[in-house]
């Protein structure tokens, strides 16, 4: 399902950031079991009766992963932005790369949530010529799919 794909994409993104140490399906399954109280992500489509709110398990998984990421993502993005600014000042970025760094800044001015930070991270990684670990399901429309090597 699209929700399952988003959970996996978030899991792998947190691994790319160095937050999740083990990106395996087994590690994700352990996380799913701890948070959603089911043994497999495919079974996480219902609600958790032990919660005071009828939130769907996949929604709960997505939101907890985003909150976990936001404990680290703003600092990571700030560091990448500083690096991009220094590279631009040193003349090390092409016009396209500099434009991507500016787009990251603009994205952060538009909002401070998880999705804005993820977009900014992708723009900055591309601006700095670093590979993206895979294309996420809801990537910005102008982000190109990474080239697999």
């Amino acid at each position: 399902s699209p929700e399952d794909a988003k959970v996996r994409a978030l899991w792998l993104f947190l691994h790319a950031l160095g937050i999740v140490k083990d990106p395996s399906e087994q590690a994700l399954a352990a996380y799913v079991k701890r948070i959603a109280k089911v043994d497999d992500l495919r079974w996480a489509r219902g609600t958790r009766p032990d919660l005071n709110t009828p939130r769907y398990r996949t929604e709960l998984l997505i939101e907890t992963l985003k909150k976990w990421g936001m404990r680290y993502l703003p600092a990571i993005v700030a560091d990448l932005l500083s690096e991009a600014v220094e590279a631009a000042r040193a003349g090390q970025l092409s016009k396209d790369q500099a434009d991507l760094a500016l787009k990251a800044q603009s994205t952060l001015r538009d909002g401070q949530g998880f999705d804005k930070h993820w977009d900014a991270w992708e723009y900055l990684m591309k601006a700095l010529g670093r590979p993206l670990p895979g294309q996420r399901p809801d990537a910005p429309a102008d982000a190109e799919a990474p080239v697999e090597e």
Side-chain angles (χ1 to χ4, degrees), residues 3-12 14 20-36 38-42 44 61-62 64-65 68:
E3 293 84 11
D4 294 357
K6 186 158 190 168
V7 169
R8 279 192 180 86
L10 285 164
W11 184 256
L12 294 174
L14 294 180
V20 167
K21 302 303 178 206
D22 180 358
S24 71
E25 283 294 316
Q26 293 83 6
L28 175 57
Y31 184 79
V32 167
K33 185 168 185 154
R34 186 167 57 86
I35 300 301
V38 292
D39 291 327
D40 191 283
L41 181 56
R42 293 172 296 189
L61 287 164
I62 290 166
T64 57
L65 288 167
W68 189 10

Side-chain angles (χ1 to χ4, degrees), residues 19-80:
I19 298 168
V20 167
K21 302 303 178 206
D22 180 358
S24 71
E25 283 294 316
Q26 293 83 6
L28 175 57
Y31 184 79
V32 167
K33 185 168 185 154
R34 186 167 57 86
I35 300 301
K37 307 294 187 214
V38 292
D39 291 327
D40 191 283
L41 181 56
R42 293 172 296 189
W43 301 334
R45 294 194 184 97
T47 59
R48 259 187 59 185
D50 60 322
L51 297 176
N52 293 334
T53 175
R55 293 180 69 191
Y56 286 96
R57 288 180 171 112
T58 51
E59 177 188 343
L60 182 64
L61 287 164
I62 290 166
E63 291 307 312
T64 57
L65 288 167
K66 285 182 172 184
K67 285 179 183 176
W68 189 10
M70 281 303 284
R71 290 180 15 212
Y72 304 93
L73 191 53
I76 292 168
V77 168
D79 288 346
L80 287 171

Side-chain angles (χ1 to χ4, degrees), residues 52-119:
N52 293 334
T53 175
R55 293 180 69 191
Y56 286 96
R57 288 180 171 112
T58 51
E59 177 188 343
L60 182 64
L61 287 164
I62 290 166
E63 291 307 312
T64 57
L65 288 167
K66 285 182 172 184
K67 285 179 183 176
W68 189 10
M70 281 303 284
R71 290 180 15 212
Y72 304 93
L73 191 53
I76 292 168
V77 168
D79 288 346
L80 287 171
L81 188 55
S82 293
E83 190 177 335
V85 167
E86 289 303 314
R89 285 185 182 145
Q92 298 169 341
L93 298 183
S94 69
K95 180 183 178 334
D96 289 343
Q97 288 173 303
D99 287 346
L100 286 168
L102 289 173
K103 191 172 278 194
Q105 283 183 309
S106 174
T107 297
L108 292 173
R109 277 195 299 273
D110 290 343
Q112 290 295 309
F114 179 86
D115 293 332
K116 295 291 183 180
H117 277 84
W118 192 350
D119 290 347

